[in-house]
Amino acid sequence: DPVLRLSAIEKTYNPGTPGEVRVLRGADLTIRAGEVVALVAPSGAGKSTLLHIAGLLDQPDAGGVEIAGQDMTGQSDRACTAARRRDVGFVYQFHHLLPEFTAEENVALPQLANGESRSRARARALDLLARVGLSTRADHRPAALSGGEQQRVAFCRALANAPRLLLADEPTGNLDPATADHVFDTLMDLVAHTGMSALIATHNPDLAARMNRTVRLENGRLVS
Ligand code: ADP
Ligand code: ADP
C-alpha cells in the first residue's frame, strides 16, 4: 500500500463569490513506503493547501485521501485527528516549539498526548535528540538554542510518534544556507533511519535534488 494517495483533489476557496480561488484542480499524488518526494511550487500555487489536505487538517471539496492504507475521504474530524496523530508528522519553516518546555519535554509531549508512559516518552525523546546531535541540549529551552538546533528539535518532535508520513513546509527556509544544508542532511538521515515517507516543500533546487523525486504544483495539478 502507498503511504499517501491523493486522487483527483479539488479545492476552491470562497466558491461562488468574487473572491473565488480555485487552488487544486484534480491533483493526484502517490507516495510509496520509504519515498522522499520534493514538492516545488511558486508562492500562492497551493502548496500549503495541499499539505494540509494530505495531513488531514483540511478536507478537499472532492477527491480521495488515503493514508497508510486507510481511506480517509469524508471521515469525521475525530477520525482524521486520530489518524493524523498516529500517522503524520509536521515540520514548518518556524519551529513552533513550546517556549516554557525543554527540548526533551517538547519531544516527549506528543507521545504523552498519544498515551505513552512518561519513562518511555522520555527515553525515545533522548534517543531522537541523540540522533540529531543534541544530547547535551536536552535540558535547554528553545530560547537557549540556535536556529538550527531549534529546527532539529522540531524534527524530533515531528517523528516522536513514529509516523508513517512526514509533511514538511520549507523546513530549512528560515536558516542561513550553510546551516540549512547541515540541518537538511540531519533530516534526511532521520527519515532514512526510520524508513518513513516524506513530502517536503522547498524552493531550493539543491535540496530537491537530494530527494528521490520532485513533483511540481502547476495550475492546480501535480506534474513530475
Ligand atoms: P502556497 O502555500 O503555495 O503559497 P496556499 O495554499 O497558501 O499557497 O494558497 C493558495 C491560494 O489560495 C492563494 O491564492 C491564497 O491566497 C488562497 N488561499 C489560501 N487559503 C485561503 C483561505 N483560507 N481563504 C481564501 N483563500 C485562501
Ligand atoms: P495536538 O496533539 O497538539 O492537539 P493535533 O493532533 O491537532 O495536535 O495536530 C497534530 C499536528 O498537526 C500538530 O503537531 C501540528 O503541527 C499540526 N497542526 C494542528 N493543527 C494545525 C493547524 N491548524 N495548522 C497547521 N498545523 C496544524
Side-chain angles (χ1 to χ4, degrees):
D1 276 347
V3 170
L4 173 69
R5 185 176 359 229
L6 301 178
S7 23
I9 299 290
E10 302 275 343
K11 183 74 180 181
T12 300
Y13 291 110
N14 307 320
T17 74
E20 176 172 298
V21 192
R22 197 166 164 213
V23 181
L24 300 176
R25 308 164 173 242
D28 295 306
L29 177 65
T30 299
I31 300 185
R32 294 175 202 296
E35 246 190 339
V36 180
V37 178
L39 172 62
V40 176
S43 187
K47 179 180 51 112
S48 303
T49 301
L50 184 86
L51 288 170
H52 282 174
I53 288 172
L56 306 175
L57 288 165
D58 199 1
Q59 299 263 9
D61 300 328
V65 181
E66 206 182 287
I67 291 194
Q70 254 198 302
D71 185 0
M72 299 308 298
T73 315
Q75 296 276 343
S76 66
D77 285 352
R78 177 191 285 250
C80 287
T81 299
R84 183 170 66 242
R85 287 184 181 172
R86 188 181 57 241
D87 294 325
V88 186
F90 291 92
V91 179
Y92 300 96
Q93 188 170 354
F94 298 97
H95 58 77
H96 299 303
L97 296 171
L98 297 172
E100 66 273 32
F101 292 101
T102 66
E104 179 199 315
E105 289 164 345
N106 268 283
V107 180
L109 280 170
Q111 303 175 74
L112 299 175
N114 246 9
E116 188 55 279
S117 73
R118 262 178 199 284
S119 60
R120 287 172 56 151
R122 181 185 157 84
R124 178 159 171 84
L126 291 173
D127 179 58
L128 284 165
L129 289 168
R131 282 196 181 281
V132 301
L134 291 180
S135 292
T136 62
R137 299 284 187 274
D139 294 330
H140 289 53
R141 291 185 183 181
L145 302 173
S146 73
E149 288 172 339
Q150 290 168 345
Q151 209 54 354
R152 281 185 275 159
V153 176
F155 298 164
C156 294
R157 180 188 51 184
L159 273 59
N161 286 328
R164 302 279 309 276
L165 177 67
L166 177 74
L167 298 173
D169 196 350
E170 297 279 351
T172 58
N174 187 36
L175 304 172
D176 67 78
T179 306
D181 211 54
H182 170 64
V183 167
F184 187 79
D185 281 343
T186 308
L187 179 61
M188 289 295 96
D189 285 349
L190 266 182
V191 167
H193 171 76
T194 57
M196 75 188 330
S197 307
L199 180 61
I200 303 178
T202 181
H203 285 303
N204 184 332
D206 294 335
L207 298 188
R210 279 142 80 178
M211 302 186 218
N212 297 127
R213 63 189 170 94
T214 295
V215 293
R216 280 169 205 290
L217 184 52
E218 281 174 10
N219 303 317
R221 292 195 175 162
L222 290 162
V223 295
S224 294

